[in-house]
Every structure is written in C-alpha cells, then in structure tokens.
C-alpha cells in the first residue's frame, strides 16, 4: 500500500519511509509546510494541522510532530522543542538541568492520519522514556546528544547511530500507524 | 469611538481599556480564545490569528500578542514567552543568563487590527529595550520581575507598579493603534 507523508522536513520523510518499508508500506513524500498552533500537547498541535492539511492533500496521508518533555521542567521544551533547540540549544537545556537530580524525560511522537476521503482524522502517539545526560555525547540532530533512552545501554540517541531507529519514539509511533493500516513493521 | 478587543486574558483587557480610555477610545472586551501558530515572529503569529478571528467577531476589533526577546539567547523565549514562563519561569531565564555579559533584551507587543468590514488586516508592533536583571525583583506578572526597561531608573517592570503602564511595550503599541484610529492617548 501507499500513503502520503506531509512534512517539510526531508530527514523525517526519509526516516519514515525506511521504517515503513519493512511493513510493505510505501511512503510518498509531500513537501508542504503547514501551520502548527501553540498548545501544551502535541495531540492538539497535530489535530489542528490535520484539519488544515485535509482538503489540500489527497488521502490517505499522515503528518507527524515530536518533542522532548522534561519532568523537572514541567514538560519543557515539549511542543516547542524545535524552536528551543534553535535558540538555547543543548547547552541551554544542560544549564537548566545543572544540579537537578530528577533527570527524567521522554521523547514523544504524535501522528495524525486521514485514512480515506471523508474519513475522520485519527491521532495516535507513542513515547520513549529516558533521562537527560550530564553533557552532550555523540553527534546527532536536535536534542539527540543529550537524551539517553531507556533500554539503550546508557548511550544517547546521538551515540546510537542507526540503531536509534530501532527503538525511537518515531519508530514506535510509526508502528502504531502500521498497525492501524493493517501492516506490520519488522526489524 | 468604540472598538472590540479580542482576548481571553482579562488582565490584558483591563490594561488596554485603561490606556485607550485617555484617548477617548472605549474598549469592549470580547472574551474569545483563538489559535496562535508557532512562528519566530509575533507579526506572523498575529497575522494568522487575525484571519481566524475575522468573520467571527464584528469589526472594528483588534488582538494583541507580546513577548520578551533576549539577544544572547537568539531571541528566546520570544513568541513562546507565556509557555516558557509557565514551565521554566523566571528562575529558568536567570539560569540561562548566568555569567552572560550581554544582557540586552526587549519586550515587544504586536497589535492586529481590522478597522472595518471588508477592510484589510493591519499589523503594528512596538517594543521597549532593556536588560535582564541578575535576579527577580518586585512582584509582578510573567517576566516583569526580571526585565529592566531603559528609562525606568533601573527598576524592573515589577518594581514600577502602575508606572509600568506609562512606558510599557503594550502602551507603545496601543499608542500606534490610537494614532491609526485618529485618536491620541494622553498621560
């Protein structure tokens, strides 16, 4: 089967295509920017965007948004992870977490799907628990150098290289999507 | 004359009403929440919201959005000031600015106006330059305890009490609005 992935982020498009391919799902990348609202939950952000994209892109299609939520900072940077990365960056997060003993955080990915013409929008999310590193380790995009996922042997996302894609929050959300579409992603 | 101010923030509504009254402009508060998009400039945020509000509220009406932009942090927290305040707060900003010698910042307010039925949306903004205090001083809303406006005698917004309204970024933006409406705000 074939599904459109609407995103202006080429890196995301490739990652999703690679993961879904193993489930026999072919991804067609639609390079379109859409408005994202300010909201405290990714589900709200995605729901609003889905409505905007509907009618502009042929079904079936999906969109995705992700963020890192830090417990000790009331969920910051959450839905604004990309802006926060571009401004205060990993160093800013490390500073905010100096001397903070509760380093729990999660990376969370939310997918919005319209499976067919006239069908209701569906929103699904999945996360990976972990903790914030004491300092950046490894080379990777965004907050990957400071996020240590549970079950990753103590490495940061950035240190895991391609193995990240086997356990990542986006992988888990895409598994939900595949399930919903009646497919199954294999390792 | 009479104009509607669309905001879900009662505090803002009162502040604007008080300032505009001296220009003979009567403000009618419309308590309505509208979507705000994620964007790096307040002008983009306000432009999008204006379009949403148009058609839902009778003209003439205006909306307002504001934020604090810190030079050394690439403009952070900017359009996300309210979220950042609710999560990492003043203490978070103080931490991010520890040992940073360039403490320049500005508070900026953007107003979006639709002056009459079928008229084009207009967007206008005004700011107050200042700097980030070494620690919070005074009791006030949001980032007021850590922002020291230029020309305020070294006091933070929070320490200025009602005098803040005489020089604030919102005051200056409302002066632009009054000008546009052919009125003049007096002290």
């Amino acid at each position: 089967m074939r599904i459109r992935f609407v995103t202006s982020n080429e890196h995301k498009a490739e990652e999703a295509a690679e993961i879904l391919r193993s489930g026999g799902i072919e991804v067609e990348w639609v390079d379109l920017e859409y408005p994202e609202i300010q909201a405290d939950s990714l589900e709200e952000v995605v729901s609003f965007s889905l409505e905007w994209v509907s009618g502009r892109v042929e079904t079936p299609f999906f969109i995705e948004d992700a963020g890192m939520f830090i417990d000790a900072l009331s969920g910051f940077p959450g839905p604004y992870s990309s802006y926060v990365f571009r401004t205060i960056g990993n160093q800013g997060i490390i500073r905010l977490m100096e001397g903070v003993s509760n380093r729990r955080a999660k990376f969370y990915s939310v997918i919005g799907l319209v499976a067919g013409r006239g069908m209701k929008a569906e929103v699904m999310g999945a996360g990976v628990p972990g903790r914030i590193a004491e300092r950046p380790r490894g080379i990777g995009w965004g907050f990957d150098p400071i996020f240590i996922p549970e079950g990753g042997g103590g490495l940061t996302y950035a240190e895991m290289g391609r193995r990240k894609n086997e356990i990542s929050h986006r992988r888990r959300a895409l598994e939900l999507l595949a399930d919903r579409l009646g497919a199954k992603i294999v390792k």
Side-chain angles (χ1 to χ4, degrees), chain A:
Chain A
M1 79 169 297
R2 197 178 165 82
I3 189 165
R4 292 181 178 80
F5 181 20
V6 183
T7 177
S8 56
N9 183 333
E10 183 172 3
H11 166 80
K12 256 194 201 180
E14 277 171 14
E15 192 177 306
E18 186 183 320
I19 293 171
L20 289 174
R21 193 174 299 128
S22 75
I25 300 172
E26 197 188 329
V27 169
E28 180 188 330
W29 176 30
V30 178
D31 182 10
L32 173 68
E33 237 183 309
Y34 48 80
E36 294 184 298
I37 52 161
Q38 300 187 26
D40 288 4
S41 82
L42 289 172
E43 281 83 357
E44 287 170 81
V45 177
V46 164
S47 296
F48 183 92
S49 298
L50 261 188
E51 204 172 307
W52 190 94
V53 174
S54 289
R56 284 179 172 88
V57 172
E58 264 184 77
T59 59
F61 70 82
F62 71 97
I63 62 177
E64 191 262 358
D65 196 13
M68 183 175 76
F69 296 73
I70 301 174
D71 283 11
L73 305 180
S74 308
F76 178 90
Y80 308 110
S81 292
S82 134
Y83 173 81
V84 170
F85 177 72
R86 280 184 285 122
T87 51
I88 69 172
N90 283 317
Q91 288 305 339
I93 301 290
I94 294 295
R95 271 197 167 212
L96 290 169
M97 293 297 286
E98 255 164 35
V100 176
S101 57
N102 171 11
R103 306 191 73 83
R104 275 197 310 252
K106 69 174 176 186
F107 245 115
Y108 198 67
S109 163
V110 170
I111 285 176
L113 164 74
V114 180
R117 198 209 282 249
M119 284 179 74
K120 238 177 55 181
E122 298 168 62
V123 173
M124 55 204 92
V128 168
R131 60 182 207 278
I132 302 299
E134 298 287 340
R135 73 197 72 81
R137 297 197 316 253
I139 291 167
W141 190 78
F143 294 123
D144 282 6
I146 61 168
F147 182 74
I148 304 170
E150 267 182 28
L155 300 176
T156 64
Y157 261 174
E159 290 174 314
M160 298 180 72
R162 295 180 70 84
R163 276 185 48 224
K164 174 196 162 192
N165 276 358
E166 292 170 19
I167 66 150
S168 77
H169 53 295
R170 186 163 296 127
R171 162 67 174 244
R172 291 186 190 183
L174 287 168
E175 283 172 349
L176 293 181
L177 175 67
D179 267 3
R180 167 62 187 79
L181 298 171
K184 186 148 188 64
I185 294 172
V186 290
K187 291 261 174 199

